[in-house]
Amino acid sequence: SHSFLELLKEEVAKEMESIFEGEDASQYASSSEHWQEAQLAALRAVQQLEGSKDEIPDLVAVDAAGGASGLQRKFVPPAPPRLPDDSGSISVSKRAPLLVLASLVDKLPNLAGLCRTCEVFHCEALCLPNLKVTSEQAFQSISVTAEKWLPLRGVPKPKLKEELLKLRKSGYALVGVEQTHTSVPLDQWNFSENTAILLGAEKEGIDAEL
C-alpha cells in the first residue's frame, strides 16, 4: 500500500509534469465534447439547487470568442454542494483528523501541490507560512482552486513551536516527516486518531529545536 508521503509525491509530480509537458492544448480534457457536456450538466444542477433561471452560455461559443479553450478548468460553485440525507437534512462530510504543517516549506510550487493533495485527501487543514501565497498566480496554477475548499491556517515559522505545543495539548500526536538514521517508514507508522504531520524544509529539513 502507498504511504501518504508517496501519494503526495506522486500527486505533485503528476501536476508538475502536466504543467511543463502540456503544450498541446488538444490533449486537455477541456477540449473534448464530453467535457463540455459535463460542465453544462454541473451548471444546470447548481441552477436547480439555487432556483436560478439565468440562461447558461454556450461554452463552445465562449471558447471560440477567445475563452480558455484547451486550458485545464475547474468549475467552482458559490458554495460546496451538499446533498440531503434520508431524513431530508443536509449532510456535512467530516474531514479526516489529519493536520499538515508546511510552515518550513519554502518553494511555492511545493506549497501549492500540498494544498491540492490535502484537499484530495480531505485533510482537516493545511498550515502555510503565509496565507498571502494563495493569491499568487504561480500558486493558483497548480492548486487549481483547492485553496477555496481546503481549510487553511497561517502559521509563520517563528510561531511554529507555539502551534505545535497547542496541538499537543489538544490531543494531537506530532509526527515529523524527515529522513534520518532513526526514521520509521510512513507505511509502517501507527498513526493516532488525531495526527499533525510536520514537513521539513526542502534542504535543511526540520529544525533540531522542533
Side-chain angles (χ1 to χ4, degrees):
S1 60
H2 285 246
S3 66
F4 175 82
L5 185 59
E6 290 172 341
L7 291 171
L8 185 149
K9 288 181 178 179
E10 290 180 5
E11 181 72 18
V12 174
K14 289 179 182 178
E15 190 63 36
M16 297 301 295
E17 183 178 342
S18 66
I19 292 174
F20 293 108
E21 296 184 3
E23 299 179 356
D24 185 2
S26 64
Q27 295 180 359
Y28 284 87
S30 57
S31 300
S32 66
E33 294 181 2
H34 175 72
W35 165 263
Q36 304 287 351
E37 295 174 358
Q39 191 169 11
L40 283 172
L43 287 169
R44 294 191 185 100
V46 172
Q47 280 192 339
Q48 289 180 357
L49 290 173
E50 296 179 345
S52 174
K53 296 183 179 180
D54 295 338
E55 182 180 356
I56 298 177
D58 187 347
L59 298 179
V60 177
V62 171
D63 288 342
S69 177
L71 297 179
Q72 184 180 17
R73 294 171 291 184
K74 183 176 181 181
F75 173 68
V76 185
R82 295 177 294 179
L83 299 177
D85 54 23
D86 295 337
S87 63
S89 60
I90 298 296
S91 60
V92 180
S93 177
K94 185 178 181 180
R95 290 189 169 273
L98 180 64
L99 189 66
V100 179
L101 296 105
S103 301
L104 300 177
V105 178
D106 298 322
K107 306 296 184 181
L108 194 104
N110 293 340
L111 291 172
L114 283 169
C115 182
R116 185 168 184 181
T117 303
C118 288
E119 187 257 338
V120 169
F121 283 96
H122 210 53
C123 293
E124 179 180 337
L126 170 65
C127 298
L128 299 174
N130 191 336
L131 292 179
K132 291 182 179 180
V133 299
T134 59
S135 62
E136 297 286 341
Q137 181 66 32
F139 184 98
Q140 296 178 358
S141 65
I142 298 176
S143 66
V144 196
T145 73
E147 71 279 1
K148 300 181 183 296
W149 300 77
L150 175 72
L152 300 175
R153 302 179 189 177
V155 182
K157 185 177 178 180
K159 294 185 178 182
L160 181 56
K161 185 175 182 179
E162 179 183 349
E163 181 67 19
L164 292 173
L165 292 175
K166 288 182 180 179
L167 290 172
R168 176 173 288 177
K169 290 181 180 179
S170 300
Y172 281 84
L174 305 181
V175 178
V177 180
E178 192 174 34
Q179 291 183 346
T180 66
H181 65 282
T182 59
S183 295
V184 178
L186 278 175
D187 58 351
Q188 299 178 16
W189 182 261
N190 186 19
F191 283 88
S192 302
E193 182 177 356
N194 295 306
T195 300
I197 293 181
L198 175 62
L199 303 178
E202 285 83 352
K203 293 183 179 180
E204 292 79 13
I206 300 176
D207 295 346
E209 62 177 7
L210 298 175

